[in-house]
């Protein structure tokens, strides 16, 4: 079933790899859902480091051809259904994930890439939830975080770190230590973490809180933080990085592997609906300002999530 929709849509795309300036507003045909697919009228889309790597050409997914529309997480309302779709209907509020295409008024994804949006979740939060929520779930699952653990989260004030802190507490961690700049320490305390400043001397500051070391550590800051995390961790196989893959190999640490799934996302949205998770939105940009939004993410060290307001 296909709803009445415009034949063209607003989107932001790039036709060459490069700095944020290559992102340009464009008009593109509205995509049609095929069998098993759902078209979503996008209300908000998250801005991820993945999108920046895509724009720069560091990440080159198979089959991506110019013009490339970035965006791999979104929220909106179901607009049209391909044949065989049974789990959603027109008008349903949803959030979901895709490899590309979310910086646009419409996106088409497989039905299994969507979950229902909780009523208590605003559109901005829903648009910026999927990527970091699933990343935190995947990483903490690989770290085997559970009751009684002492956990170190680097870059704890960012979009992924904020959710990882809360998820560690929800899964029973007794102590969560989070690294962040001084202005974000109160934010971490409010999430239930003990804040420490990142940078030189991190190992000593963590050991002042956890003299025997930490049970598990997540790095979202880079090689220096990963080295400090490995030094204070009791179990090297429970140290995971999201960013410093080469350094992890050098240190003999495990590499994170796994896929985004609707079941993983549904578990996280259920925790959000119960009040166990919240997501701070630090900035919301109009779709046409996607370049500014990516620059905001590139600066780093910000609190919470950057999202694009696509439709109302």
């Amino acid at each position: 079933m296909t709803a009445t929709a415009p034949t063209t849509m607003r989107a932001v795309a790039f036709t060459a790899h490069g700095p944020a300036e290559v992102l340009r507003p464009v008009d593109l045909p509205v995509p049609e859902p095929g069998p098993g697919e759902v078209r979503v009228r996008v209300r908000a889309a998250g801005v991820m480091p993945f999108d920046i790597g895509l724009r720069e050409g560091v990440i080159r997914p198979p089959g991506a051809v110019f013009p490339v529309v970035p965006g791999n997480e979104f929220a909106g309302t179901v607009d049209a259904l391909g044949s065989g779709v049974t789990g959603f209907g027109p008008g349903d509020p949803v959030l979901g994930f895709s490899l590309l295409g979310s910086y646009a008024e419409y996106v088409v994804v497989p039905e299994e890439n969507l979950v229902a949006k909780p009523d208590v979740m605003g559109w901005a939060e829903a648009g910026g939830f999927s990527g970091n929520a699933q990343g935190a779930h995947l990483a903490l699952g690989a770290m085997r975080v559970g009751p009684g653990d002492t956990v170190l989260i680097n870059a704890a004030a960012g979009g992924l770190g904020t959710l990882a802190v809360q998820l560690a507490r929800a899964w029973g961690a007794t102590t969560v230590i989070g690294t962040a700049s001084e202005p974000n320490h109160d934010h971490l305390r409010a999430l239930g973490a003990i804040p420490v400043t990142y940078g030189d001397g991190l190992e000593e500051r963590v050991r002042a809180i956890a003299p025997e070391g930490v049970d598990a550590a997540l790095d979202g800051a880079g090689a220096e933080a990963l080295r400090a995390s490995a030094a204070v961790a009791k179990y090297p196989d429970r140290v995971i990085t999201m960013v410093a893959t080469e350094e992890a190999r050098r240190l003999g640490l495990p590499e994170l592997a796994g896929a985004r799934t609707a079941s993983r996302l549904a578990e996280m949205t259920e925790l959000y609906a119960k009040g166990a998770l919240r997501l701070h939105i630090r900035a919301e940009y109009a779709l046409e300002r996607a370049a500014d939004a990516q620059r905001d993410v590139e600066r780093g060290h910000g609190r919470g999530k950057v999202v694009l307001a696509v439709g109302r």
Side-chain angles (χ1 to χ4, degrees):
M1 179 174 64
T2 301
T4 301
T7 57
T8 61
M9 66 177 182
R10 292 181 305 127
V12 168
F14 59 89
T15 56
H17 297 294
E21 288 76 14
V22 301
L23 291 169
R24 302 295 175 112
V26 295
D27 289 326
L28 295 173
V30 172
E32 290 294 332
E37 293 182 332
V38 177
R39 186 171 71 203
V40 176
R41 174 70 167 91
V42 179
R43 297 284 296 270
V47 180
M48 297 281 289
F50 178 92
D51 306 336
I52 295 168
L54 180 75
R55 186 203 77 217
E56 293 175 337
V58 176
I59 300 170
R60 296 182 182 243
V65 296
F66 295 129
V68 175
V69 178
N72 68 97
E73 58 179 359
F74 61 88
T77 54
V78 172
D79 175 74
L81 307 175
S83 61
V85 174
T86 59
F88 299 97
D92 286 350
V94 295
L95 64 152
F97 53 98
S98 61
L99 190 62
L100 304 168
S102 300
Y103 291 14
E105 289 184 298
Y106 295 90
V107 65
V108 167
V109 296
E111 179 181 12
E112 58 266 25
N113 285 27
L114 297 173
V115 301
K117 182 183 82 67
D119 291 340
V120 297
M121 183 181 279
W123 284 115
E125 289 79 7
F129 190 76
S130 177
N132 289 147
Q134 295 200 69
H137 189 286
L138 181 64
L140 266 63
M143 292 156 56
R144 307 190 302 281
V145 170
D149 279 343
T150 295
V151 180
L152 172 64
I153 308 289
N154 287 288
L160 186 139
T162 291
L163 291 170
V165 166
Q166 297 171 88
L167 184 60
R169 296 304 304 269
W171 284 356
T174 302
T175 302
V176 179
I177 303 167
T179 72
S181 59
E182 186 71 32
N184 287 319
H185 282 195
D186 285 345
H187 171 66
L188 293 188
R189 291 187 186 98
L191 297 177
I194 301 171
V196 297
T197 304
Y198 55 80
D200 291 342
L202 176 59
E203 180 182 345
E204 290 74 19
R205 289 190 292 277
V206 172
R207 288 198 181 277
I209 300 166
E212 296 182 1
V214 301
D215 298 295
L218 175 62
D219 165 55
E224 181 181 356
L226 180 60
R227 288 190 291 271
S229 299
V232 298
K234 301 176 189 176
Y235 313 105
D237 66 332
R238 298 179 68 185
V239 179
I240 292 291
T241 183
M242 306 299 289
V243 292
T245 305
E246 290 300 322
E247 186 65 12
R249 291 182 185 135
R250 191 187 72 80
L251 295 171
L253 302 175
E255 293 186 39
L256 185 61
R260 295 186 293 179
T261 65
S263 61
R264 194 186 303 279
L265 182 55
E267 183 177 339
M268 295 296 281
T269 57
E270 288 168 10
L271 285 171
Y272 187 101
K274 292 175 182 177
L277 300 177
R278 57 190 176 95
L279 181 63
H280 174 75
I281 302 299
R282 86 164 177 262
E284 189 172 357
Y285 294 83
L287 174 63
E288 293 78 6
R289 295 185 60 203
D292 291 332
Q294 287 201 358
R295 291 187 192 99
D296 192 338
V297 173
E298 285 180 295
R299 284 193 287 271
H301 306 303
R303 179 188 307 174
K305 188 73 181 184
V306 174
V307 299
L308 300 175
V310 180
R312 294 301 181 201

